[in-house]
Amino acid sequence: MNDDKGRPDLRINGERLVSSIKEMGSIGFDPETGGRTRLALSDADKKGRDLLCRWMHEEGLDVKIDQIGNIFGVREGTDPSELPVMMGSHIDTVRDAGMFDGVYGVFGGLEVIRTLNENKVRTRKPLALAAFTNEEGARFQPDMMGSLFYTGTVGLEELLSSKDENGLTAADELDRIGYRGSGTVRAGRYIELHIEQGPRLYAEGLPIGVVRGIQGLAWWAGEYCGESNHAGSTPMDMRKDALLGVAELAAEAEKLALRLGNGSVATMGKISPKPDIINIIPGKCSFTLDFRQFEKSLFEEGKGEIERLITACAEKRGLKYNFRKVAEAPAVVFDSGMVELAERVSARLGLASKRMVSGASHDAQFLSPFCPTVMIFVPSKDGRSHCPEEWTEAEDLENGCNVLLHSVLELV
Ligand SMILES: [Zn+2]
């Protein structure tokens, strides 16, 4: 029952974990696509929430809903003055999603609580399980709505007034599904278990990723202006082709990311030449640029270089240009003590782990400034996510959940 340090040497029930994830995965399931859709505050999201709340009640948790619909379940500790160690993630999905994104973190936390309950383990600090509202942002923007509200990063009124494409507000939809509450639970620590949603762990055959932070992100939108003209009668050396300037910028941005290395990524996701006609030289071309990097100095260098390239690629071809930065979020660095804890626990369980930086955003990044936070990743088959092919093997799900269990046991 106890290991050599007197800690309960428990293991979670992998079959129960997988069957719970599958049951949630059947809600909103579409047999035609093989995916499931539980957009935030939809009927399917309500069904998922109802299932989670039922299971929380069955484990004797004190269930609280806050003003943005975040769901918390609290398992009491023996010392009421302590803040809870919180586990959690989200249960909303994108369209035609896999069954693991978010759900794994919530039901992984539930499985930890079930394991403690069936082994009658009392803890000094309380434990809390959280499901944050609208992490995906597939229906209402901004994404991460629940954690933005929870951490006071964005005000309630602004979030509640967000409208979906049919003009329905988040406030009305929260009321309709019955999940606008008034409770809350403060977190003392936060651990989010999640699938990697990228290819690295799977490719390297590693069971555990310990996430040391989330990379910084900068977005620009801009436009190059040259001259539209006849595609047949304008010689190549007398053109001012805006699209060619943007094409060169795309190639230069790739070179920059490769040169900076260390996980730098640069993407031009949106390019619109005008007039966008087969026999006219594009006189205008608008574009977006997305640059991400975790290390502060490289992030700063990359941002400066991107802006220099936007200018240089236009001037080289005599194009006019304008651009502006439309978003910037600095990297989030998770608490080093929490990172070391997850690594230590993985090693003790005989599971190889690597430190990694998350490429995607998560609720944990907003919790991190408020309480010591870490994320634990498990492999995603072929790095696929946000699609019906999203897959993680049962053994990997079980391993990650055991790392969560023992990390929590060291904290409570
Ligand atoms: Zn997620």
Side-chain angles (χ1 to χ4, degrees):
M1 185 70 187
N2 290 346
D3 70 5
D4 55 1
K5 292 230 171 74
R7 290 172 298 233
D9 195 21
L10 306 173
R11 293 293 181 274
I12 62 98
N13 182 332
E15 270 175 40
R16 182 170 57 194
L17 170 64
V18 170
S19 89
S20 298
I21 291 172
K22 281 188 176 159
E23 186 160 344
M24 181 63 97
S26 71
I27 300 175
F29 182 72
D30 178 351
E32 291 214 343
T33 64
R36 68 277 304 144
T37 303
R38 293 191 306 275
L39 301 182
L41 315 184
S42 63
D43 290 347
D45 186 28
K46 173 186 161 45
K47 276 191 195 155
R49 287 164 172 268
D50 291 350
L51 177 66
L52 172 63
C53 289
R54 178 159 66 80
W55 283 346
M56 281 179 162
H57 281 124
E58 281 174 15
E59 293 308 314
L61 303 187
D62 181 14
V63 178
K64 294 189 160 86
I65 315 289
D66 75 6
Q67 291 168 290
I68 199 75
N70 293 324
I71 300 171
F72 303 99
V74 180
R75 184 181 189 267
E76 268 181 27
T78 54
D79 184 348
S81 70
E82 290 281 1
L83 287 175
V85 173
M86 186 177 280
M87 305 172 284
S89 195
H90 61 96
I91 56 170
D92 69 311
T93 71
V94 294
R95 236 171 249 290
D96 290 324
M99 60 179 160
F100 304 102
D101 177 5
V103 171
Y104 177 47
V106 176
F107 285 176
L110 181 69
E111 177 54 38
V112 165
I113 287 169
R114 285 171 165 167
T115 302
L116 297 180
N117 282 353
E118 73 186 357
N119 288 281
K120 301 190 169 50
V121 176
R122 301 287 319 261
T123 59
R124 190 170 65 80
K125 293 179 191 166
L127 265 173
L129 177 60
F132 290 103
T133 294
N134 187 31
E135 191 270 352
E136 297 290 3
R139 180 182 179 198
F140 294 101
Q141 285 79 46
D143 58 0
M144 317 278 164
M145 209 175 243
S147 47
L148 285 172
F149 166 70
Y150 180 70
T151 55
T153 314
V154 178
L156 181 65
E157 290 313 312
E158 183 180 339
L159 296 172
L160 286 177
S161 61
S162 170
K163 286 185 181 155
D164 73 0
E165 61 187 18
N166 297 316
L168 297 167
T169 65
D172 289 344
E173 287 295 274
L174 263 180
D175 285 334
R176 187 183 66 82
I177 66 167
Y179 276 88
R180 179 139 53 144
S182 57
T184 193
V185 174
R186 255 181 81 198
R189 310 236 173 194
Y190 181 67
I191 309 189
E192 184 165 348
L193 183 63
H194 209 282
I195 56 167
E196 183 195 341
Q197 303 181 284
R200 289 168 293 176
L201 291 175
Y202 187 78
E204 294 176 41
L206 286 169
I208 300 293
V210 176
V211 183
R212 63 195 180 103
I214 305 210
Q215 59 194 355
L217 161 161
W219 286 354
W220 294 264
E223 187 177 55
Y224 283 178
C225 299
E227 269 172 23
S228 291
N229 213 332
H230 197 291
S233 54
T234 315
M236 292 308 286
D237 61 349
M238 297 179 75
R239 296 179 176 211
K240 286 187 179 171
D241 185 329
L243 175 60
L244 283 181
V246 173
E248 191 164 353
L249 175 60
E252 289 296 327
E254 182 195 25
K255 276 188 222 158
L256 170 68
L258 289 170
R259 177 171 71 72
L260 293 175
N262 292 291
S264 299
V265 282
T267 307
M268 292 188 79
K270 235 169 123 174
I271 290 178
S272 313
K274 286 189 191 85
D276 201 15
I277 286 171
I278 191 167
N279 58 355
I280 300 181
I281 297 164
K284 287 187 175 176
C285 188
S286 60
F287 59 86
T288 62
L289 226 160
D290 169 318
F291 174 72
R292 303 185 197 210
Q293 163 59 240
F294 181 66
E295 303 295 344
K296 194 170 191 294
S297 61
L298 283 177
F299 186 51
E300 293 304 320
E301 183 183 346
K303 283 189 301 175
E305 275 297 291
I306 294 262
E307 298 199 349
R308 190 189 65 74
L309 286 172
I310 293 175
T311 307
C313 290
E315 284 175 348
K316 187 177 165 189
R317 292 172 185 273
L319 303 169
K320 295 201 181 85
Y321 61 90
N322 63 73
F323 68 93
R324 65 195 173 91
K325 201 184 285 162
V326 291
E328 179 167 353
V332 174
V333 182
F334 291 153
D335 181 80
S336 60
M338 294 287 279
V339 170
E340 283 159 19
L341 166 68
E343 281 178 331
R344 199 166 60 238
V345 165
S346 302
R348 200 172 77 224
L349 294 174
L351 299 167
S353 70
K354 78 178 265 182
R355 281 191 190 201
M356 53 200 305
V357 172
S358 174
S361 305
H362 295 285
D363 292 311
Q365 76 195 64
F366 296 106
L367 276 286
S368 176
F370 292 87
C371 63
T373 294
V374 72
M375 291 187 76
I376 299 162
F377 276 177
V378 296
S380 294
K381 183 167 188 254
D382 298 323
R384 303 287 304 272
S385 184
H386 282 187
C387 56
E389 291 79 13
E390 178 182 284
W391 189 256
T392 297
E393 297 297 341
E395 188 187 354
D396 291 323
L397 295 170
E398 188 173 339
N399 285 336
C401 194
N402 275 318
V403 174
L404 177 66
L405 167 68
H406 285 275
S407 299
V408 164
L409 280 173
E410 289 212 10
L411 292 169
V412 293

